[in-house]
């Protein structure tokens, strides 16, 4: 008899303990795996952003966050949000967890009546975001020691 894996659920972070779970996932993915300095990985947006967790049973395996930008990006109008700090533990990558996180953050952006979303995609993740309707904008730039590309999506 085989045991089926626990289903993935996406839940909003509702308390400090859940935020610490999100930060722990980011520590593993960004600080340990990708060697991003902690001083760059953590920022003031953590305190006010809308965070989600991907839960596999009782264990958090992924996270992401959304916050509203103070002004739309150049050439855009309306209210825009930014998605960032999307991270999935290596054991759960390639299982659709990132897509589920992105969908939940986009749903929250729509609930907040945002007109679009901006993000900084690592070049290695660019195709993932393209599959979800994001378009590249501008030239490649370095962020946290890695090449990134700004991407946008109208909602």
């Amino acid at each position: 008899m085989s045991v089926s894996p626990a289903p993935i659920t996406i839940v909003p972070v509702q308390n400090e303990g859940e935020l610490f779970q999100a930060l722990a996932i980011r520590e593993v993915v960004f600080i340990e795996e990708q060697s991003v300095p902690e001083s760059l990985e953590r920022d003031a947006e953590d305190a006010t952003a809308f965070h989600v967790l991907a839960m596999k049973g009782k264990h958090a395996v992924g996270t992401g966050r959304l916050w509203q930008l103070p002004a739309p990006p150049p050439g855009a109008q309306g209210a825009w949000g930014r998605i960032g700090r999307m991270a999935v533990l290596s054991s759960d990558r390639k299982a659709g967890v990132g897509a589920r996180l992105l969908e939940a953050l986009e749903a929250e952006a729509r609930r907040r009546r945002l007109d679009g979303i901006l993000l900084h995609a690592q070049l290695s993740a660019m195709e993932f975001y393209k599959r979800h309707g994001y378009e590249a904008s501008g030239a490649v730039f370095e962020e946290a020691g890695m090449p990134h590309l700004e991407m946008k999506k109208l909602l």
Side-chain angles (χ1 to χ4, degrees), residues 6-7 9 11 14 23 32 35 42 44-45 47-48 54 65 74 80 82 84 93 105 112 119 123 128 133 154:
T9 57
V11 298
Q14 297 185 20
L23 294 175
E32 293 176 15
S35 301
R42 307 281 165 86
E45 302 301 339
T48 58
R65 70 180 189 181
W80 279 65
R82 181 161 168 196
R93 291 182 195 142
L105 292 167
R112 294 178 182 210
L119 55 82
L123 288 190
F128 166 80
L154 290 173

Side-chain angles (χ1 to χ4, degrees), residues 21-143:
Q21 290 179 67
L23 294 175
I25 291 167
R26 288 170 33 192
E27 181 171 331
V28 168
V29 173
F30 297 125
I31 297 171
E32 293 176 15
E33 290 180 18
Q34 298 180 357
S35 301
V36 173
E38 184 175 352
S39 61
L40 295 178
E41 201 291 312
R42 307 281 165 86
D43 63 24
E45 302 301 339
D46 283 330
T48 58
F50 172 80
H51 298 261
V52 291
L53 284 172
M55 302 297 294
K56 186 176 181 179
K58 294 183 181 186
H59 302 282
V61 298
T63 188
R65 70 180 189 181
L66 166 76
W67 68 98
Q68 188 163 339
L69 295 171
Q77 295 184 358
W80 279 65
R82 181 161 168 196
I83 288 177
R85 303 306 197 268
M86 293 260 305
V88 177
L89 296 177
S90 62
S91 59
D92 291 278
R93 291 182 195 142
K94 308 293 183 202
V97 176
R100 301 270 312 276
L101 287 164
L102 187 60
E103 289 163 6
L105 292 167
E106 288 178 355
E108 179 65 16
R110 287 184 183 94
R111 190 187 71 72
R112 294 178 182 210
R113 293 181 159 61
L114 297 179
D115 298 296
I117 294 174
L118 172 105
L119 55 82
H120 291 176
Q122 292 181 15
L123 288 190
S124 61
M126 186 177 68
E127 292 303 319
F128 166 80
Y129 290 112
K130 280 185 174 180
R131 285 193 304 273
H132 292 277
Y134 288 81
E135 294 181 7
S137 171
V140 173
F141 60 94
E142 188 174 297
E143 187 172 272

